Amino acid sequence: MARTAVLGFPRIGPDRELKRALEAYWAEQITAAELEGVAYDLRALHLRAGSDAGIEVLPVGDFALYDQVLDTAELVSITAERHRDSQAVGLDRHFLACRGADQVAPLEMTKWFDTNYHYLVPELEPGQSFELNAPRLAKWISQLQEARALGVAARPVLLGPFSLLSLGKGVTDPLELLEPLTTVYAEVLQAFAEAGATEVQLDEPCLVLDQSPDALDGFARAYESLLAATGLEVCLATYFGGLDDATLARVAKLPIAELHVDLVRAPERLDAVLAALGSRTRLSAGVVDGRNVWANDVDQSLQRLERAVAAIGSDRLTIATSCSLLHVPYSAAREKTIDEELGSWLAFAYEKLDELALLKRALNLGAAERETLLTDARRRIASRRASPRTNDATVRSRAAALTPADYDRSASMDERLALQAQRLQLPELPTTTIGSFPQTTEIREARRKRRIGELSESQYLEFVRAQVAEVVEQQERLGLDVLVHGEPERNDMVEYFGERLAGFAFTEFGWVQSYGSRAVKPPILYGDVSRPQPMTVSWWQYAQSLTNKPLKGMLTGPVTILQWSFVRDDQPRSETCVQIALAIEDEVLDLEAAGASIIQIDEAALREGLPLRAADQAHYLRWAIDCFRLTAAGVRSQTQIHTHMCYSEFGEMIEQIVRLDADVISIEASRSGMVLLEAFRDFAYPGQIGPGIYDIHSPRVPSVEELESLLALAEERIPRSQLWVNPDCGLKTRAWPETKASLTNLVAAANRRRAAPPSLT
Ligand code: GLN
Ligand code: ZN
């Protein structure tokens, strides 16, 4: 008979208990033992939920106080050199790697594949050696014991050696270190076995990325020796994509007990997997989506599971979540502000446990007996499919009527820039900011008071107006050339728009971990998207009425809204994105009609939406950039379109950036000392560029000289006539004193450069 398994649990806590405990510990309000107590309670909660739902294979060791990659790196004694001689001990030493200390930088943090979770990048060094770190091993051993005490036979989870090295940095070919690392992994597995484990789950998500034959050979050699050295049954877990033929061929030859594949992301690989699977290897079929919030389409899952049963028999089948449940919130049932219809379409972590159990029961029944068992699950899927909320005829016919001309502005960049220059009359090297100004405690407090009814809507709006007026006045005083309203009415650049667009819902408790103690609450994009009424126009009008200088309309772009939401899975992401783009286009045109001469459409997440495999990237870039173009194509040539992106790896994307056809683009550039502008120079970028000249992620105030020299460096690469002067991102996380000081220096640096002869003519 098939069994059920979960690859990992959320860990932030249903009420963000872990976040609170971590922050209290860092603030020295609770002890290490109290923090560990909170962590223990959460683990017990997860295991009980799993065993109450009847799940047979439950994970342990997936829990981390901060990050599972860091825990694994520490387990094998990978420590950044700068953290080595710290006097800190125990947990404080652990958190040094996460948060740094005075003069000591933490580990770099980066996105975990294409999720919104961020992991700490292990720092390797040439000749790196590995050693089993007994105190860190205790985490897995004690969690195994905890599970046993709760009456749960759990399976330890560990990030595998191939992925651990592939995700690291600091050496040219990290995989050269696989052999010594594997030796230490063998010791770890030995310790698990001694602690009573019979199985282990080794996560190797890097196997779903493009890998060279050499890398795959290295992987196969490492696993051959690891498997020869252990008596444990090894489940090799892959997720976030499918295994290509070359990878599958290597994997199939290994004497692993179980192979886990993600059948939500790569259902089309199922037949190839079944054909390749060794005759004694179990298949763990990831049919319940660990990355999204929708109720499982049971018939679709059963059809996949049945294909597997037909090929390998039910005894060799495990019904599993597609990946760890880390990426979804805890409980959909708890969301009382979501209406019943929409609520019935949702499944968060707890509901997904029940779905696994349901699939198992259904798989054992004949079609007739299934009927009653699956009535409810089928009703949910049918209701979602047929609901007018997911099928808005107006939205659909508008999208269907789009023609290529709808994606193009009517004049060339050169013509537009000339007309805009006449209209805007800006000085050389115009100064501006990216949009937000400090989100002070006062602002957050006002928002909270409105939420609990202590401030009426009109009192709150009055408060925000005063904030806008203050921000405009400050910018006038600073002497900036192009102003913004400061975004005090926005808690978040996606949430604000989601709340105003049809087709989005918001949860009360739908937190997912972003990194460490940070959690985000992504909107749920469930239906056809449209814009019932203007979202930003009155704020823009008010702010512009306070100044004679041009003030930018400020919007979030369609790709970023898509990327930072839980998105419907019943149609391609590209179709959903077109709907969002049309809604944003409505807003762009309304801003223009209200008189806005400059409109900025932020696409902070354009780059992070890039698919994991190179072969899928061109298609994504095509539709994603088309969607951006769609938002802006309808404006007059005199209206200047800006966009902003927060990342710096433009080299390989510069052609795509050009295709956005934005008149002005502002980017992060200060940390690379303007080097990234070389890509723009080499490509003869036709538009204007605002390379961020100071890093807003730190409170440090850059000096006029420093900013001036960065501008000079920029001018060596891009003609002055094409350059803007701005910070590298929004200022919302900064406080006012450093904001004023930094912008004062920014304006002074721009003035000095204007007086100096251009570096490049
Ligand atoms: N306009 C936004 C702001 O200034 C952009 C934020 C972002 O790029 N992440 O806050
Ligand atoms: Zn940014």
Side-chain angles (χ1 to χ4, degrees):
M1 204 161 61
R3 61 179 195 169
T4 48
V6 170
L7 265 57
F9 284 111
R11 50 188 187 231
I12 196 77
D15 287 303
R16 288 181 296 159
E17 290 87 343
L18 182 61
K19 172 196 177 66
R20 283 183 233 286
L22 282 168
E23 287 171 357
Y25 177 75
W26 295 331
E28 297 181 16
Q29 290 157 357
I30 63 171
T31 63
E34 285 168 308
L35 171 61
E36 296 285 9
V38 171
Y40 168 80
D41 289 344
L42 285 172
R43 292 193 295 267
L45 178 80
H46 306 151
L47 287 175
R48 279 204 202 97
S51 73
D52 288 351
I55 306 304
E56 285 121 326
V57 184
L58 292 170
V60 284
D62 60 320
F63 188 91
L65 283 175
Y66 201 97
D67 171 41
Q68 75 274 15
V69 179
L70 173 65
D71 284 359
T72 316
E74 288 187 348
L75 173 67
V76 296
S77 308
I78 302 172
T79 317
E81 194 181 346
R82 65 185 175 284
H83 298 150
R84 250 168 248 166
D85 35 66
S86 155
Q87 301 304 305
V89 291
L91 271 185
D92 293 334
R93 192 170 178 116
H94 180 64
F95 290 134
L96 178 68
C98 311
R99 311 175 66 230
D102 272 354
Q103 313 297 327
V104 186
L107 293 179
E108 184 196 331
M109 197 168 62
T110 196
K111 275 171 71 72
W112 177 243
F113 299 86
D114 55 0
T115 72
N116 281 331
Y117 177 75
H118 299 75
Y119 73 95
L120 293 167
V121 182
E123 284 181 27
L124 302 160
E125 56 195 27
Q128 171 83 46
S129 61
F130 306 97
E131 201 184 318
L132 181 59
N133 175 339
R136 295 309 287 155
L137 175 67
K139 164 187 138 167
W140 277 266
I141 305 300
S142 63
Q143 291 184 23
L144 259 172
Q145 287 158 351
E146 281 169 19
R148 197 167 310 125
L150 293 165
V152 177
R155 175 168 79 180
V157 180
L158 191 61
L159 180 63
F162 179 73
S163 295
L164 179 64
L165 289 177
S166 305
L167 295 170
K169 66 169 191 184
V171 294
T172 356
D173 182 9
L175 293 179
E176 277 177 6
L177 301 167
L178 249 179
E179 215 182 288
L181 178 60
T182 307
T183 320
V184 179
Y185 266 74
E187 291 171 42
V188 174
L189 299 197
Q190 177 65 30
F192 289 174
E194 280 162 17
T198 54
E199 283 183 57
V200 63
Q201 172 188 325
L202 292 176
D203 283 357
E204 291 288 9
C206 285
L207 289 176
V208 311
L209 306 179
D210 295 327
Q211 295 290 356
S212 68
D214 279 353
L216 290 176
D217 288 341
F219 157 79
R221 272 196 308 274
Y223 269 79
E224 274 156 23
S225 64
L226 185 58
L227 290 160
T230 183
L232 287 182
E233 291 194 358
V234 170
C235 170
L236 182 70
T238 65
Y239 42 81
F240 302 152
L243 301 178
D244 61 21
D245 289 335
T247 309
L248 195 53
R250 256 82 162 198
V251 167
K253 283 204 203 97
L254 295 172
I256 48 176
E258 183 169 74
L259 172 64
H260 174 84
V261 292
D262 184 339
L263 293 178
V264 174
R265 278 291 175 88
E268 74 286 352
R269 296 298 294 159
L270 176 59
D271 290 329
V273 170
L274 289 169
L277 205 66
S279 64
R280 293 220 299 273
T281 307
R282 279 194 301 270
L283 178 72
S284 170
V287 289
V288 169
D289 196 350
R291 292 285 299 273
N292 216 330
V293 293
W294 306 109
N296 191 256
D297 181 341
V298 279
D299 285 303
Q300 186 187 62
S301 297
L302 284 168
Q303 191 247 333
R304 287 170 188 164
L305 295 171
E306 271 164 353
R307 251 156 68 205
V309 171
I312 61 172
S314 65
D315 287 344
R316 276 169 61 207
L317 181 66
T318 304
I319 306 168
T321 53
S322 64
C323 59
S324 167
L325 296 173
L326 181 67
H327 312 289
V328 292
Y330 278 78
S331 161
R334 197 173 165 209
E335 297 294 339
K336 300 300 179 209
T337 59
I338 288 186
D339 65 88
E340 210 174 310
E341 181 189 43
L342 175 55
S344 78
W345 302 347
L346 299 175
F348 297 173
Y350 288 164
E351 287 81 15
K352 287 175 193 292
L353 299 174
D354 293 331
E355 290 180 338
L356 290 170
L358 180 73
L359 287 170
K360 174 177 164 161
R361 259 180 289 145
L363 196 61
N364 289 325
L365 297 176
E369 299 161 278
R370 270 184 200 177
E371 207 56 47
T372 22
L373 186 68
L374 298 181
T375 314
D376 182 55
R378 284 176 174 154
R379 191 186 45 75
R380 294 155 182 258
I381 297 297
S383 132
R384 185 171 159 218
R385 212 167 272 152
S387 168
R389 298 161 89 183
T390 58
N391 300 280
D392 179 329
T394 320
V395 173
R396 293 196 165 246
S397 52
R398 187 171 167 200
L402 287 169
T403 67
D406 293 318
Y407 295 84
D408 293 335
R409 290 189 72 177
S410 54
S412 72
M413 179 91 83
D414 282 352
E415 289 171 74
R416 291 177 344 231
L417 286 170
L419 291 167
Q420 292 159 14
Q422 270 174 27
R423 177 181 185 187
L424 294 167
Q425 298 293 325
L426 295 170
E428 274 189 320
L429 296 170
T431 54
T432 191
T433 61
I434 304 303
S436 58
F437 269 76
Q439 290 256 335
T440 53
T441 340
E442 202 192 353
I443 296 180
R444 282 195 297 268
E445 196 47 22
R447 212 173 277 140
R448 192 185 65 84
K449 285 190 176 153
R450 177 186 55 162
R451 212 169 39 236
I452 60 174
E454 252 174 59
L455 276 186
S456 70
E457 188 64 16
S458 64
Q459 284 171 320
Y460 173 73
L461 293 178
E462 214 31 65
F463 168 83
V464 178
R465 279 167 76 88
Q467 293 290 320
V468 169
E470 166 77 22
V471 167
V472 172
E473 195 190 314
Q474 288 294 347
Q475 293 173 94
E476 291 266 20
R477 222 178 279 153
L478 288 161
L480 289 157
D481 300 310
V482 170
L483 311 194
V484 295
H485 79 291
E487 307 178 24
E489 81 289 14
R490 303 183 192 177
N491 35 0
D492 175 273
M493 65 187 284
V494 168
E495 191 171 25
Y496 180 80
F497 291 94
E499 280 172 348
R500 282 156 185 81
L501 291 168
F504 284 82
F506 290 85
T507 61
E508 261 183 289
F509 309 104
W511 298 99
V512 289
Q513 192 174 24
S514 170
Y515 64 89
S517 62
R518 292 293 205 102
V520 293
K521 198 147 63 71
I524 296 180
L525 196 174
Y526 64 84
D528 283 347
V529 178
S530 59
R531 187 203 63 151
Q533 52 201 357
M535 307 180 282
T536 64
V537 177
S538 60
W539 288 121
W540 176 81
Q541 273 170 322
Y542 173 63
Q544 182 69 81
S545 76
L546 303 171
T547 176
N548 293 321
K549 292 189 168 172
L551 189 136
K552 297 192 266 191
M554 190 61 61
L555 304 173
T556 301
V559 184
T560 302
I561 294 180
L562 181 87
Q563 199 58 32
W564 290 349
S565 304
F566 282 118
V567 175
R568 59 192 294 184
D569 61 353
D570 55 354
Q571 65 184 20
R573 290 169 76 80
S574 53
E575 278 175 34
T576 308
C577 201
V578 167
Q579 295 183 355
I580 310 172
L582 289 171
I584 299 297
E585 182 194 22
D586 291 345
E587 188 71 12
V588 167
L589 294 177
D590 280 350
L591 280 167
E592 181 183 56
S597 52
I598 305 184
I599 300 168
Q600 179 172 314
I601 308 165
D602 291 327
E603 281 292 19
L606 183 72
R607 164 70 208 247
E608 66 178 61
L610 208 61
L612 297 173
R613 283 198 191 265
D616 304 325
Q617 292 174 355
H619 175 243
Y620 161 78
L621 285 168
R622 196 166 324 114
W623 63 254
I625 288 167
D626 279 349
C627 283
F628 179 86
R629 293 172 63 101
L630 191 54
T631 62
V635 298
R636 295 184 306 143
S637 300
Q638 288 83 348
T639 303
Q640 190 164 71
I641 297 293
H642 289 215
T643 190
H644 163 71
M645 278 164 236
C646 313
Y647 48 83
S648 52
E649 290 147 45
F650 280 104
E652 81 273 26
M653 266 183 81
I654 188 80
E655 272 177 75
Q656 322 294 334
I657 303 296
V658 174
R659 218 169 72 72
L660 288 171
D661 202 26
D663 301 308
V664 182
I665 165 173
S666 60
I667 48 174
E668 184 271 296
S670 60
R671 276 170 285 180
S672 70
M674 302 293 136
V675 169
L676 75 100
L677 288 180
E678 281 164 19
F680 287 80
R681 175 195 59 201
D682 298 345
F683 206 82
Y685 187 71
Q688 301 186 350
I689 311 171
I693 54 168
Y694 85 86
D695 177 8
I696 60 88
H697 301 90
S698 121
R700 197 177 76 88
V701 176
S703 68
V704 180
E705 290 68 32
E706 181 184 336
L707 295 173
E708 198 188 351
S709 70
L710 280 173
L711 283 176
L713 281 176
E715 277 189 49
E716 282 168 21
R717 295 167 169 103
I718 306 287
R720 183 182 286 180
S721 58
Q722 271 176 278
L723 282 175
W724 284 62
V725 178
N726 48 256
D728 72 352
C729 197
L731 297 161
K732 73 175 185 194
T733 55
R734 294 274 59 86
W736 270 107
E738 73 249 24
T739 298
K740 281 188 210 164
S742 300
L743 292 176
T744 302
N745 292 355
L746 176 140
V747 171
N751 281 330
R752 285 203 200 168
R753 282 309 302 169
R754 286 168 187 158
S759 318
L760 191 115
T761 39

